[in-house]
Amino acid sequence: MSILSPFRNLLNTRHDIARNLKTKGKKVIGWSCTYTPEELIYAVSALPLMVFGDVENTKLADIYLPVNTCSFARGCFNTALKGDYDYLDGFVASSSCDNRDKIFDMWRHHAEIPYMHFVNTPHTRTKRAQTFFYEEILKLKTWLEKSFGRMIPEIRLKNAVEIYNENRRLLRRVYDLRKKEPPLISGVEALEIVLSSMVMLKENHNELLNRLLAEVSSRADPPKGGVRLLVAGSVMDNSKLLKIVEAVGGSVVADDWCTGSRYFWNLVDSNGDPLHAIADRYLNKIPSSFMLGQEERFGHSMKMAKTFDVDAAIVFTLKFCDTHLFDAPQLKEKLRTQGLPVLLLEWEHSLSGLAQMKTRIEAFIEMVGGV
Amino acid sequence: MEKSEIDRRLQTTKGFYRNYVRKFYEDAHKTKAEGTPVAWVASTFPIEMLLATNVFPVWPENYASICAAKHVSVRLCEIAESKGFSKDLCSYARCVIGSLFEKRANLPEGGLPKPDFLVTSTSACDTHYKWFQVISRHFNVPLFLLDVPYNIKGKSSSHLEKEHIEFYVSGLNQLIDFLEVQTGKKIDKRRLQETIALSDQTSKLWMEILDYRKTIPVPMGARDAFSAVFFMLCIPSTHMAIEFYTKLNSEVRKRVENNFGITEHEKYRLIWDNLPLWYNLEFFEYLKKQGAVVVAETFSHVWMGRLDPVKPMEALAKKYLPNFANCSIDRKIDLIEDLAEKFKVDGIILPTNWGCRMMSVGETIVKEEILKRLGIPSLIIDVDSSDWRSFNETQIKKRVEVFLQMLNRDN
Ligand code: SF4
Ligand code: SF4
C-alpha cells in the first residue's frame, strides 16, 4: 500500500465518513466555492464539506438545465437531486459566477436542504468592498449561530484559524515535494491530497500530512516523472483529467486552479481580530477569474511555472465557464512570453469527447518532449 | 391583405435605423474626432452618470446587435474564435472582439470609435467585465468596474437591502472620482440632477407607451419595441429621446383610441423573454402571420424606473439594483407573472441565449412556475441572439406552430 493511499480512500469514502460523523452528533455543512470562509463553519463545530459534482452522468440535472450550463455546476446540482448529499444539515453558496448564482436558484427550487445561506462575494477589493465582505461574513456567522444553536466565541475562531493555517502550511510543504525531478509525488496525488482536505476535519488531515512528509522521501513507489507541466484553469474536483495527462507522459508539478494552489496559498493573519482577518484573507487571496485582479491571477500562474521549473503549460477551462474562458487566451499569451509552449483545453466535466482530448494532450506532450 | 398589413407599421419608427441609430454612430465618430472622450459601456450600467459628464458613451452590445441585424456578426465571431475565444462565449462579446481585428471599412458604421476608457458593472453577467478586460488590454485603456451585490431573494424578489444600496452608492462615488480623473473636470452636480430628471421623464414616457400595449388589439409589436428601446438603453436622458418618445407615445395612443392594432387577426398574445433574434427580426412578422402578437418583452421592461432627481445616487441604486439580470430567478418569474396578467397573455416564449448563462439557466423554473401560478404555458427555444450558425429555422417554426395550436385548444 502506498503512503498516498489514505488520501484517495478518504476521498472515495467521504460520504460514509460524513454520515458517520453525523451519528456522533456532528453537523455537516456543504459549500461549493473556495471563497466560503470554512473557518466559521468549523468554529460552529460542524464539518465543512465541499460539494463535488457527478461525473459519469447528470441525467437528473439535465431535465432542468440547458446544455449551455457549466458542467461542474451541473454535476453538483445532479448530486443534490440524486440525494447523495441528503445528510447535509446546511449549505453555504457564494455569488462567484453566473452559473453558480443561477444554479443556487435551482437548488432552492428543487433540492431539499434544511438550511441554506448565500454569501455575496464582491468582485473588487476596494475599501468599501472589504467592509461589505466583512459584513457578509458577520451575517454568515449570525446565520450559523442561529441555525445550529451554538455561539462562535472568538477563541474558537482563533483555534479554527490556527488549524486551517497549519493545513495550508503543510500543503505548501507537500507542494514543495514536486520541485524535485522527478517529483516525489505526482500531480494526481497532489490533487487528491488537496481534495481530501476539503471533505474531512482539518486536524485529522494535518496528522496525515505530517506522516506523509515524514515518510515520503523513502517511498517505495515514486512517480516516474515526465514532461514537467503547469496546469492552470478553473476547478478540478476529481482526478480524471490529470490521470490522462500523466498517463501520456506528462508530469503535473504545478497548478493554478480553485481547488489546487489557490485554495491554500494564502494564510489568515493570526494576529488581531480573527473575523476581520478571515474576511481579509478570503477577499485578498490569489484571485479567481471572477475577481477583478486579472494581472495578479496571471502572475500567480507565471510564478508557479517558474518556481516549479516547468517545461510547458496546459490552460484548461470547463465548458461554459465564462470567466475562465475569457481569461484563457490572455493567460496563454502571458505564459508564452515566458517561453512556454501552451495548450488550451476546453473540457466537459463529464469527460465526453475523451478520446479526442487524449489525442490532443498526447500530441502536445510529445511535441514538448521532443524539443 | 399584404398591403393592409404593411400600412399597419408605425410611422414614428419608420426609418429608425437611418434616422437615429446611424446618426448616433456618426455623432460618436465626429465627437471623438473633435476630442471628446468616448467611453464604452455595458448594459445595466447607470449610463446617466456618463451622460451627465462630457463623455460620449457607446454601447458595444448595441453595436453587436447591429452587426447581427446586418448579418456580419458571424464573420466577426469567427475572428474572435480564431484568437482563442471560445465559441460558447456570448456572441455579443465575440462579435465586438472580432471587430477589433477587422478593417473599419468592412464594419457597419465604421466600427465603434476607439474608447478612452471603459465602464461596466457586475450587475448583468460575468461576460460584461471579463469581455471588457479583454478590450481594456487590447487598447491599453483603463477599465472601471462598478461592483454590484447580487440581489438574492430576500423578503420578496424586489426587496432591496440597505447594505446593497449603500454599497452601490459608494461605487457611484468611486465612479465620480474615476470620471473626474479621466475627463480632468469636476462633475457638475446640478447637471447630474438634470440628467436624472430627464431620464425620469424618458422613463415615464416609455412606461406609458408599453402600457398601451395592454389594449386588444395591440397597437405596437415587438419589432418596434426592440428598435425604440434604443433610446432607453443608449441615451435615456436626452431631449432627443424625449422628443422621440413623445411622438411615439401619441401615435400609439391614437391607435388605442381608434382600436387599431398591428394586425387584423390577433389571436394569441405572447410575452417574449430575453433577446430577439437580431439576425432574423422577420421572425416577429412570421409570428404575426400566425395570428400571434408579442405584447410585452421582459427586455423592454427592465430599463425603466422612476428616478428622484433630489437624491440622484440613491435613485440610480433603486433603478438598477432590482434589474432582474442582477437578481435570483424569482424576480424574473414575478415580472413575467405580473406582465402576463396585466397584458392578458396566452403564452410565453422563452428564448435562451447560447453564450449567456444569465438568460439560459433558470428558464425551466420560469416555465414551471408560470404554469403553476397562472396556468399559462411557455415555450423554451434554444437559440442565440446574434450567432445564427446553429439556428434551425424550420425546426423552431414547427415547434412554435405546435405551441400556438396548443394555445388554441386551450381557448
Ligand atoms: S467552473 Fe466556472 S462556471 Fe463553473 S462553477 Fe466554477 S467558476 Fe462557475
Ligand atoms: S447576452 Fe448575456 S452574456 Fe451577453 S452581454 Fe448580455 S447579459 Fe451578458
Side-chain angles (χ1 to χ4, degrees):
Chain A
M1 201 176 84
S2 160
I3 50 168
L4 271 309
S5 311
F7 298 100
R8 177 170 304 172
N9 292 344
L10 281 163
L11 208 52
N12 292 340
T13 54
R14 61 186 189 277
H15 294 305
D16 302 331
I17 296 170
R19 284 207 178 90
N20 195 17
L21 276 175
K22 268 185 76 115
T23 58
K24 295 185 185 136
K26 197 109 193 144
K27 301 280 184 205
V28 184
I29 300 173
W31 56 272
S32 79
C33 169
T34 52
Y35 276 75
T36 315
E38 280 176 76
E39 284 90 339
L40 268 80
I41 301 176
Y42 181 88
V44 83
S45 287
L47 166 70
L49 178 127
M50 180 167 171
V51 170
F52 298 147
D54 265 327
V55 182
E56 305 308 338
N57 90 63
T58 52
K59 277 193 192 132
L60 292 171
D62 297 347
I63 300 173
Y64 303 107
L65 295 176
V67 186
N68 52 338
T69 313
C70 155
S71 50
F72 164 66
R74 173 190 301 272
C76 293
F77 182 47
N78 198 70
T79 56
L81 290 174
K82 230 168 57 194
D84 283 356
Y85 287 99
D86 56 4
Y87 56 80
L88 289 185
D89 298 291
F91 182 72
V92 181
S94 176
S95 63
S96 44
C97 73
D98 291 342
N99 273 292
R100 250 190 248 271
D101 290 351
K102 290 290 174 280
I103 287 179
F104 181 61
D105 286 334
M106 310 292 284
W107 277 61
R108 286 196 303 174
H109 276 261
H110 294 293
E112 278 179 25
I113 290 179
Y115 294 102
M116 279 207 177
H117 185 76
F118 188 86
V119 178
N120 235 315
T121 318
H123 297 54
T124 58
R125 296 155 158 184
T126 58
K127 239 171 134 194
R128 190 64 188 87
Q130 308 266 8
T131 319
F132 182 83
F133 191 56
Y134 174 74
E135 285 160 7
E136 282 293 305
I137 303 291
L138 254 183
K139 281 187 201 161
L140 172 65
K141 179 168 172 276
T142 314
W143 173 79
L144 286 166
E145 291 176 334
K146 248 176 58 195
S147 312
F148 303 101
R150 215 174 269 147
M151 294 308 282
I152 306 179
E154 193 176 312
I155 180 86
R156 286 200 67 89
L157 260 186
K158 285 209 150 159
N159 179 252
V161 166
E162 223 159 86
I163 291 170
Y164 270 70
N165 274 350
E166 180 58 12
N167 192 251
R168 291 169 182 135
R169 277 190 286 261
L170 291 169
L171 285 173
R172 266 181 97 146
R173 282 178 55 201
V174 168
Y175 265 42
D176 281 343
L177 304 172
R178 305 157 82 189
K179 287 183 178 159
K180 304 211 167 58
E181 176 52 35
L184 273 173
I185 57 165
S186 72
V188 171
E189 287 164 348
L191 174 66
E192 286 173 347
I193 290 171
V194 181
L195 292 180
S196 63
S197 85
M198 300 172 164
V199 294
M200 62 186 286
L201 290 169
K202 284 281 200 277
E203 65 263 33
N204 298 342
H205 199 256
N206 288 348
E207 247 173 66
L208 287 175
L209 289 178
N210 275 317
R211 196 173 326 142
L212 171 74
L213 285 164
E215 295 171 10
V216 71
S217 52
S218 56
R219 73 181 287 193
D221 54 348
K224 59 181 185 323
V227 172
R228 295 178 67 86
L229 293 172
L230 162 81
V231 181
S234 47
V235 63
M236 222 176 274
D237 64 343
N238 64 70
S239 51
K240 301 226 156 162
L241 182 65
L242 292 194
K243 277 189 183 138
I244 300 172
V245 175
E246 298 200 322
V248 297
S251 166
V252 180
V253 294
D255 71 55
D256 177 9
W257 60 68
C258 313
T259 48
S261 64
R262 291 210 294 267
Y263 175 61
F264 63 82
W265 218 247
N266 307 78
L267 299 183
V268 176
D269 183 355
S270 49
N271 302 313
D273 169 44
L275 210 57
H276 272 104
I278 289 171
D280 282 355
R281 185 266 173 193
Y282 280 89
L283 200 62
N284 293 303
K285 71 195 186 88
I286 292 155
S288 182
S289 59
F290 75 86
M291 291 292 291
L292 194 61
Q294 203 189 23
E295 285 305 326
E296 195 184 331
R297 176 170 123 69
F298 294 165
H300 178 63
S301 278
M302 291 163 72
K303 209 160 130 204
M304 290 301 271
K306 212 161 153 215
T307 7
F308 288 83
D309 194 20
V310 306
D311 307 314
I314 297 180
V315 173
F316 77 95
T317 49
L318 279 161
K319 266 177 93 77
F320 311 114
C321 170
D322 299 319
T323 58
H324 285 91
L325 284 173
F326 274 109
D327 276 356
Q330 303 171 72
L331 178 55
K332 178 180 172 180
E333 274 320 301
K334 280 264 170 185
L335 290 165
R336 271 213 173 137
T337 56
Q338 222 172 312
L340 293 174
V342 184
L343 173 69
L344 272 192
L345 206 66
E346 248 181 82
W347 69 303
E348 285 269 20
H349 189 251
S350 64
L351 289 187
S352 65
L354 183 68
Q356 200 208 358
M357 211 165 69
K358 197 171 165 183
T359 318
R360 283 188 59 204
I361 297 172
E362 203 165 4
F364 176 71
I365 288 174
E366 247 172 50
M367 189 266 291
V368 178
V371 288
Chain B
M1 165 80 189
E2 272 289 297
K3 186 143 192 311
S4 74
E5 288 295 327
I6 287 167
D7 287 342
R8 286 175 180 267
R9 283 169 44 186
L10 284 163
Q11 291 301 311
T12 320
T13 52
K14 244 180 213 165
F16 189 85
Y17 187 81
R18 205 176 46 247
N19 298 337
Y20 301 104
V21 182
R22 175 159 295 158
K23 171 130 194 339
F24 173 82
Y25 283 95
E26 277 167 11
D27 284 352
H29 283 293
K30 213 170 95 206
T31 327
K32 168 84 192 179
E34 288 163 4
T36 304
V38 165
W40 286 15
V41 57
S43 65
T44 73
F45 188 88
I47 197 161
E48 288 88 348
M49 293 292 288
L50 300 170
L51 295 167
T53 60
N54 291 313
V55 172
F56 197 108
V58 297
W59 235 61
E61 286 151 273
N62 177 259
Y63 184 70
S65 70
I66 292 171
C67 292
K70 299 214 169 288
H71 290 249
V72 295
S73 51
V74 165
R75 181 165 54 84
L76 299 176
C77 286
E78 280 166 352
I79 298 178
E81 288 154 25
S82 75
K83 303 279 173 197
F85 293 96
S86 164
K87 220 175 154 171
D88 299 322
L89 286 169
C90 164
S91 49
Y92 280 177
R94 274 180 288 139
C95 173
V96 171
I97 290 173
S99 80
L100 305 178
F101 301 95
E102 179 62 297
K103 283 202 206 76
R104 287 197 178 269
N106 296 338
L107 293 168
E109 311 312 329
L112 285 161
K114 184 177 173 291
D116 292 274
F117 57 90
L118 314 165
V119 289
T120 184
S121 76
T122 58
S123 58
C125 61
D126 297 331
T127 298
H128 278 165
Y129 63 97
K130 296 310 290 183
W131 169 23
F132 275 35
Q133 278 182 336
V134 175
I135 298 170
S136 158
R137 200 175 265 274
H138 178 87
F139 287 116
N140 193 19
V141 294
L143 162 67
F144 178 87
L145 177 65
L146 181 68
D147 199 356
V148 180
Y150 184 67
N151 196 0
I152 194 73
K153 186 180 176 188
K155 292 186 193 83
S156 72
S157 69
S158 54
H159 171 75
L160 292 183
E161 288 189 42
K162 204 174 104 259
E163 291 91 336
H164 290 198
I165 297 179
E166 281 168 11
F167 191 31
Y168 197 91
V169 169
S170 80
L172 292 181
N173 283 318
Q174 284 161 17
L175 172 65
I176 291 179
D177 294 343
F178 175 82
L179 290 174
E180 291 186 340
V181 170
Q182 295 305 317
T183 60
K185 288 197 189 92
K186 283 258 160 236
I187 192 151
D188 179 346
K189 294 265 158 70
R190 174 108 61 72
R191 183 157 165 211
L192 178 61
Q193 289 195 333
E194 282 164 16
T195 311
I196 299 286
L198 283 174
S199 180
D200 177 58
Q201 241 179 304
T202 319
S203 205
K204 183 167 173 277
L205 284 163
W206 180 242
M207 284 157 93
E208 276 171 26
I209 295 168
L210 294 184
D211 227 45
Y212 288 133
R213 296 167 73 195
K214 286 178 187 161
T215 326
I216 303 174
V218 70
M220 177 172 126
R223 208 172 165 165
D224 281 322
F226 277 116
S227 293
V229 74
F230 171 80
F231 288 103
M232 285 303 292
L233 306 176
C234 297
I235 34 176
S237 40
T238 56
H239 293 286
M240 192 166 150
I242 291 177
E243 205 178 291
F244 175 81
Y245 285 142
T246 309
K247 243 164 71 188
L248 182 62
N249 192 312
S250 78
E251 188 185 0
V252 177
R253 191 185 58 236
K254 266 193 210 106
R255 285 190 161 202
V256 171
E257 286 161 8
N258 298 330
N259 229 351
F260 189 81
I262 59 167
T263 170
E264 267 183 293
H265 318 281
E266 180 175 310
K267 249 164 95 186
Y268 318 107
R269 294 171 65 84
L270 304 176
I271 288 176
W272 183 279
D273 187 25
N274 295 329
L275 296 174
L277 308 167
W278 290 116
Y279 49 85
N280 188 348
L281 290 167
E282 288 297 316
F283 199 79
F284 295 119
E285 304 301 322
Y286 153 78
L287 283 179
K288 215 160 74 179
K289 287 209 181 88
Q290 316 296 313
V293 292
V294 173
V295 296
E297 307 80 24
T298 47
F299 187 79
S300 48
H301 282 262
V302 293
W303 310 107
M304 54 206 207
R306 300 302 304 271
L307 293 153
D308 178 4
V310 182
K311 290 188 191 149
M313 308 293 235
E314 281 85 346
L316 292 172
K318 286 177 185 160
K319 176 179 175 185
Y320 288 101
L321 275 172
N323 186 311
F324 72 69
N326 189 48
C327 298
S328 57
I329 199 80
D330 305 81
R331 175 96 178 105
K332 190 194 243 183
I333 297 168
D334 291 348
L335 172 70
I336 292 184
E337 181 187 15
D338 189 47
L339 291 175
E341 286 194 312
K342 283 195 188 135
F343 287 73
K344 303 172 208 74
V345 161
D346 307 297
I348 328 273
I349 308 263
L350 302 170
T352 58
N353 194 11
W354 183 258
C356 177
R357 290 348 117 196
M358 191 272 287
M359 296 183 194
S360 301
V361 188
E363 294 295 80
T364 52
I365 317 184
V366 177
K367 178 176 163 164
E368 267 173 30
E369 275 295 310
I370 294 295
L371 187 66
K372 201 157 82 192
R373 293 187 196 177
L374 304 174
I376 296 178
S378 303
L379 175 71
I380 297 176
I381 48 174
D382 290 319
V383 285
D384 188 275
S385 76
S386 312
D387 183 346
W388 58 82
R389 277 174 289 179
S390 57
F391 178 62
N392 184 333
E393 186 161 4
T394 328
Q395 193 196 21
I396 298 273
K397 283 186 170 167
K398 203 178 248 154
R399 293 192 53 214
V400 168
E401 278 156 35
V402 172
F403 178 69
L404 293 177
Q405 269 160 26
M406 183 183 82
L407 300 184
N408 202 11
R409 258 210 323 269
D410 286 355
N411 281 339

